[in-house]
Amino acid sequence: MISVLMRSHNDIKYIRRTVEALLAQEVDDAVEIISCDDRSDDGTAEYLAAVPELRRIAPPEGKYVPGKTLNHMIRQAYGDIIVFNNSDAIPQHREYLKNLTSPLKDPGVDCVFGNQIARKDAYYVVRKDYERAFGDGSISAAWDNFFSLVSSAFRKSDLLAKPFDENIQYSEDADWVKRYSAKIVYAADAIVEHSHNYTLKEVRKRFFNEGVADTQMGKVPPGFCHCMRSVIAEILRDWFYLAKHGAVTEFFYAPVYRYVQKMNYYRGTKR
């Protein structure tokens, strides 16, 4: 059996399409979908309660911590294969689950992550990042421990033996694959639509906390000069991409976005 674990919090904009796509999957194994909603107040909880095919479980008590919720859901799953699918990550075809879980037939594979394409309303700088991180997988293959839990698959036995860290607030997926030296496979043919147009304030918070998490994982923090070179290199890539796609409206936004992103990651590593 495949247990699809779906976390949610105020995702009413996308969750209907996500659930409908998951229920329409064509896969040989039995499938259960477990929903754990984190106190939504936008109609998400009411929608989930109205879908009889879902198995709903209450979140752990206290403040939301990703690892704590993930481990809580894993323990209650019936399947021997665990799929994590964010409630705002919409499968794009009926073979999604089959393609995502197939690599686990190889006993040498520890985990799989799927392909994410940006939404149609995504900023161009966001689209560029998703194409580099996912796409055919050739670019991110060279990145250290790159992995995304948004659309991913594991064996339940591995997750029970090697639980997620419950003491970090960000990057629990990268921490898992690094801590256990996991053999990762990228399933480019398992596609979900997923992206965020974060405000600059949200970008600042997210990347600061990712810097904090990377330091907690033992990554060597970048120096200031390395950070500035990274800012400049990414801006140049952004401008090339924007020019290629005729997205002149973001030409001046891109440098601001990159500076906020990279500098706050740097500051997080120095915390």
Side-chain angles (χ1 to χ4, degrees):
M1 174 182 278
I2 297 171
S3 294
V4 181
L5 309 189
M6 184 178 66
R7 294 172 290 165
S8 58
H9 176 70
N10 289 346
D11 290 316
I12 196 61
K13 184 176 181 180
Y14 304 112
I15 197 167
R16 285 187 174 89
R17 283 182 289 158
T18 300
V19 170
E20 288 169 1
L22 288 172
L23 291 173
Q25 290 299 297
E26 296 177 353
V27 60
D28 297 332
D29 303 281
V31 176
E32 67 166 352
I33 304 174
I34 300 176
S35 165
C36 185
D37 183 67
D38 183 37
R39 306 166 182 89
S40 292
D41 59 9
D42 69 339
T44 296
E46 290 78 6
Y47 166 73
L48 293 170
V51 182
E53 295 90 343
L54 303 182
R55 180 156 72 92
R56 294 183 298 128
I57 62 175
E61 293 184 1
K63 178 184 176 183
Y64 174 75
V65 178
K68 185 177 180 180
T69 296
L70 293 169
N71 293 334
H72 171 70
M73 297 180 75
I74 292 160
R75 288 191 294 267
Q76 299 191 53
Y78 297 140
D80 54 340
I81 298 297
I82 299 293
V83 166
F84 296 109
N85 195 104
N86 281 17
S87 60
D88 63 346
I90 307 167
Q92 297 297 289
H93 51 80
R94 294 190 175 188
E95 294 77 34
Y96 161 70
L97 280 182
K98 182 185 295 184
N99 295 345
L100 184 65
T101 58
S102 288
L104 291 175
K105 293 175 182 177
D106 180 348
V109 173
D110 295 310
C111 52
V112 185
F113 70 101
N115 190 354
Q116 298 176 40
I117 59 173
R119 306 189 202 282
K120 292 179 175 60
D121 65 348
Y123 297 150
Y124 279 90
V125 290
V126 173
R127 294 186 202 182
K128 190 215 74 177
D129 286 354
Y130 272 72
E131 289 174 17
R132 282 174 56 79
F134 300 100
D136 64 6
S138 60
I139 295 176
S140 62
W143 299 348
D144 185 32
N145 296 315
F146 180 73
F147 189 79
S148 177
L149 203 68
V150 167
S151 164
S152 56
F154 299 74
R155 295 180 189 86
K156 182 182 177 182
S157 58
D158 289 339
L159 294 174
L160 290 175
K162 306 169 183 177
F164 288 98
D165 190 332
E166 299 188 6
N167 297 307
I168 59 175
Q169 195 68 36
Y170 283 79
S171 303
E172 68 283 350
D173 46 4
D175 171 76
W176 195 93
V177 298
K178 182 179 186 298
R179 188 151 38 97
Y180 298 119
S181 301
K183 168 63 176 176
I184 303 168
V185 168
Y186 170 54
D189 56 355
I191 306 169
V192 296
E193 180 188 81
H194 176 261
S195 62
H196 297 281
N197 286 337
Y198 290 127
T199 65
L200 291 178
K201 181 178 180 181
E202 290 169 333
V203 171
R204 184 183 304 116
K205 177 183 177 183
R206 179 177 182 84
F207 284 91
F208 178 87
N209 284 302
E210 287 192 1
V212 172
D214 278 0
T215 303
Q216 291 175 328
M217 284 188 278
K219 282 192 176 183
V220 178
F224 180 77
C225 290
H226 179 275
C227 178
M228 291 309 298
R229 287 195 299 270
S230 178
V231 170
I232 293 167
E234 207 62 54
I235 290 171
L236 292 175
R237 278 194 287 263
D238 286 338
W239 279 346
F240 179 81
Y241 185 88
L242 295 174
K244 179 180 177 181
H245 291 84
V248 294
T249 56
E250 292 186 30
F251 192 80
F252 295 106
Y253 172 74
V256 177
Y257 179 87
R258 288 304 167 198
Y259 181 81
V260 171
Q261 179 193 64
K262 300 291 185 180
M263 285 304 299
N264 280 282
Y265 175 84
Y266 170 76
R267 289 171 182 145
T269 66
K270 303 303 178 184
R271 182 177 177 180

